[in-house]
Amino acid sequence: MGPEKLKEVIKEALKDAEVVIAYKEGFDKLHSTPCFVTTPEEADAVIFDPRCVQNLASYLPSLKKKAAVVVKGCDSRTIVQYMQEALIDRGKVTVIGIPCTGIVSIKKVMAKTGHQPILDVTFPDKNTVVVKTPKGEQKMAMADVAADKCGSCLYPTPVVYDQLVGEPIESDKTYETAYKDVAELAAKSLEEKKAYWEKEFDRCIRCYACRNACPMCVCQDSCIAESRDPHWISQKSNPTEKFMFHMIHALHLAGRCVECGECERACPMGIPVNMLKRKINQDMKELYDYEPGVKPEDKPPMFTFSVEEKKIEEHKL
Amino acid sequence: MSEIAPKELRIVGFLCNWCSYGGADTAGVSRFRQPTDLRVIRVPCSGRVDPLFIVKSLLNGADGVLVSGCHPRDCHYTDGNFYARRRLEMLKRLLPFLGIDEKRFHYTWISASEGARWQKTVTDFTTQVHKLGPLHSTTEAQIGS
């Protein structure tokens, strides 16, 4: 897949859409930034490579224009979920899908270089990243610096698109291997799990970046985490309030989280915030055979019910 | 003095106005003996019970939470308890993942005429929570007060 093809597709899409949301180079060579392309000239600055980490579909629900958007496999699930929840008008959105071979985690690359200024980043092939810093060139294996979500990616090819740029890719993972980390934690004892979450959430600074980055957090200014009436959580920075915030986030995403990993990417403290949602997703798969953002005609399980629940049994005391 | 344990724990009960609250009332009117640990919160429907109510209770001092509504198909609002069932089941499976014993949370269906069933449920649940002991240390339990 060459970026030339993508630029062509974007120019073509501009004939119909008012704006195309894509990526361009950011403030340094390691970062990319979302860009809103409105003219063919601007399309020439568009890039796509493993630096393009953001989920651009997040812009769609609040964008009232006819738009086209560049999506990776994981991001495309966001669009399907929006369709299921009627948050976007599919007729107004052109989806430009790109089969993705994995993206880098900026944090991991920075850690590997020892937080040196980045002079240049190149991707000679899909398994290698070459980073140039004042100290010299450093070659990294993609597997070592890939975002955590890529390790459990089941949909490298977008599940929905109008235009596909590049050849479709099959995932080499199964549902079981993708959810291995959740199963491992779930198998631990209650005390171990409690200690695990206490340790992780202890670092939370309540910046709410995870919520702000989340494409499925659509309450905007009505988030109950910040409402004073009812006062769900106070301004205190104690473990109870931190934990409560993460439960609000997790339970409001129950059966809706598309696992795009934006919450973890945005978290400045490196807390595995996606884990709770993934655990709920796993339960949803077991109970209702439902995966968020895969089939547009599905209904999120918490939005509906069946009179006879096949898998729910009455609990005995 | 209750026969269950010398010291009371805090158990929060969310009861549906149309069935379980009536059921608890029936039990009271019939003078069935009940443990006194449960604090009842009357809600219009079990569908009104946000799973976050339960989480917040457990985080802020409750040692156990009981949710009770009308039997499925008997809802005053036709389908409130069907939604509740899905949500509460989701939470029931999530709690152990957080390190909270899922035995501290129970949801059930009790109709207004089932005073005896209410008595049995609340007694058994209180016993179960007492077996697990307090969820919070004394100092932590004071936060909410």
Side-chain angles (χ1 to χ4, degrees):
Chain A
M1 192 272 306
E4 295 314 314
K5 176 89 191 335
L6 177 64
K7 284 172 194 170
E8 264 172 50
V9 172
I10 289 176
K11 281 175 191 167
E12 189 65 30
L14 269 176
K15 286 177 188 159
D16 185 43
E18 284 171 74
V19 60
V20 181
I21 312 170
Y23 305 93
K24 68 175 181 189
E25 232 161 60
F27 67 94
D28 73 5
K29 289 283 181 182
L30 182 57
H31 291 77
S32 69
T33 185
C35 68
F36 289 70
V37 179
T38 48
T39 60
E41 292 76 54
E42 284 172 332
D44 288 326
V46 165
I47 57 162
F48 187 86
D49 53 44
R51 288 178 290 174
C52 302
V53 291
Q54 300 90 343
N55 180 354
L56 301 179
S58 311
Y59 290 111
L60 293 175
S62 54
L63 199 72
K64 300 285 174 250
K65 292 174 185 168
K66 223 172 177 196
V69 61
V70 175
V71 293
K72 304 184 287 286
C74 44
D75 306 344
S76 72
R77 288 177 68 185
T78 313
I79 291 177
V80 174
Q81 191 66 23
Y82 284 154
M83 285 158 72
Q84 289 181 13
E85 298 182 22
L87 291 166
I88 56 164
D89 180 354
R90 180 70 177 87
K92 278 186 167 178
V93 178
T94 311
V95 182
I96 303 168
I98 303 182
C100 166
T101 51
I103 54 161
V104 296
S105 158
I106 306 284
K107 283 177 206 152
K108 285 185 192 170
V109 176
M110 292 302 282
K112 280 225 168 198
T113 58
H115 298 269
Q116 293 286 316
I118 305 287
L119 298 178
D120 199 15
V121 179
T122 46
F123 304 94
D125 59 74
K126 67 175 185 176
N127 296 320
T128 327
V129 185
V130 181
V131 182
K132 215 168 128 191
T133 64
K135 280 194 172 167
E137 251 186 20
Q138 221 178 326
K139 214 170 171 186
M140 301 172 191
M142 188 65 192
D144 293 342
V145 292
D148 287 340
K149 64 170 173 178
C150 300
S152 61
C153 177
L154 292 170
Y155 301 95
T157 308
V159 285
V160 58
Y161 53 81
D162 297 305
Q163 289 263 3
L164 193 65
V165 184
E167 290 304 311
I169 307 169
E170 281 283 318
S171 173
D172 53 355
K173 296 164 191 82
T174 62
Y175 193 84
E176 279 67 36
T177 55
Y179 280 82
K180 213 175 75 192
D181 51 339
V182 179
E184 266 169 25
L185 182 58
K188 287 186 179 165
S189 76
L190 283 174
E191 287 71 34
E192 280 174 310
K193 282 182 276 194
K194 192 160 186 247
Y196 175 81
W197 289 115
E198 269 168 8
K199 184 174 144 272
E200 295 294 339
F201 287 142
D202 187 44
R203 295 201 300 281
C204 177
I205 54 172
R206 291 188 63 186
C207 64
Y208 296 171
C210 50
R211 178 200 65 182
N212 297 348
C214 178
M216 296 320 293
C217 268
V218 286
C219 300
Q220 297 190 355
D221 289 344
S222 313
C223 178
I224 65 163
E226 281 164 323
S227 88
R228 292 281 175 124
D229 186 22
H231 207 172
W232 274 95
I233 41 176
S234 75
Q235 261 53 35
K236 282 183 201 159
S237 184
N238 62 26
T240 315
E241 306 294 73
K242 290 174 184 178
F243 199 78
M244 189 64 201
F245 169 71
H246 287 284
M247 288 310 290
I248 290 174
H249 193 187
L251 290 176
H252 282 181
L253 285 162
R256 302 171 62 229
C257 173
V258 291
E259 298 175 26
C260 64
E262 285 289 277
C263 47
E264 284 189 18
R265 181 180 70 78
C267 180
M269 306 307 284
I271 302 170
V273 273
N274 203 3
M275 198 72 143
L276 292 173
K277 291 137 221 169
R278 279 163 54 75
K279 160 70 181 159
I280 300 175
N281 275 356
Q282 203 191 18
D283 289 338
M284 293 298 125
K285 174 89 176 169
E286 255 177 62
L287 286 169
Y288 315 115
D289 198 25
Y290 172 86
E291 258 186 284
V294 176
K295 289 182 204 134
E297 65 277 10
D298 275 358
K299 219 171 176 197
M302 292 295 143
F303 289 34
T304 180
F305 63 87
S306 47
V307 176
E308 296 292 339
E309 298 284 4
K310 285 190 199 86
K311 302 257 177 78
I312 301 181
E313 283 170 22
E314 187 115 345
H315 293 279
K316 295 269 183 300
L317 274 167
Chain B
M1 198 70 179
S2 154
E3 67 270 4
I4 290 159
K7 198 171 167 288
E8 271 192 14
L9 291 180
R10 296 182 202 194
I11 301 175
V12 181
F14 293 97
L15 306 190
C16 149
N17 176 46
W18 303 100
C19 292
S20 297
Y21 192 85
D25 193 37
T26 308
V29 169
S30 318
R31 302 203 167 221
F32 292 151
R33 198 183 173 86
Q34 291 175 35
T36 49
D37 306 40
L38 191 90
R39 275 84 163 155
V40 174
I41 297 173
R42 189 183 191 175
V43 288
C45 175
S46 51
R48 175 67 182 89
V49 181
D50 189 323
L52 284 167
F53 291 178
I54 297 147
V55 174
K56 188 149 173 92
S57 309
L58 288 172
L59 288 181
N60 288 282
D63 302 298
V65 179
L66 176 70
V67 178
S68 187
C70 305
H71 288 276
R73 295 174 197 271
D74 267 354
C75 182
H76 182 79
Y77 308 100
T78 52
D79 53 14
N81 54 6
F82 289 134
Y83 287 104
R85 181 168 58 185
R86 284 204 161 186
R87 287 176 201 153
L88 298 172
E89 179 67 23
M90 179 269 292
L91 186 71
K92 185 105 182 157
R93 284 163 171 253
L94 183 64
L95 285 180
F97 196 69
L98 307 164
I100 301 172
D101 202 317
E102 80 267 28
K103 290 202 189 86
R104 292 187 186 276
F105 164 55
H106 184 63
Y107 70 97
T108 187
W109 322 114
I110 292 168
S111 83
S113 59
E114 293 176 322
R117 187 178 150 105
W118 168 258
Q119 183 207 24
K120 189 176 175 335
T121 306
V122 73
T123 313
D124 289 354
F125 183 63
T126 310
T127 317
Q128 182 170 296
V129 175
H130 272 271
K131 258 186 217 153
L132 296 168
L135 177 58
H136 307 266
S137 61
T138 349
T139 43
E140 261 182 316
Q142 303 307 319
I143 293 170
S145 55

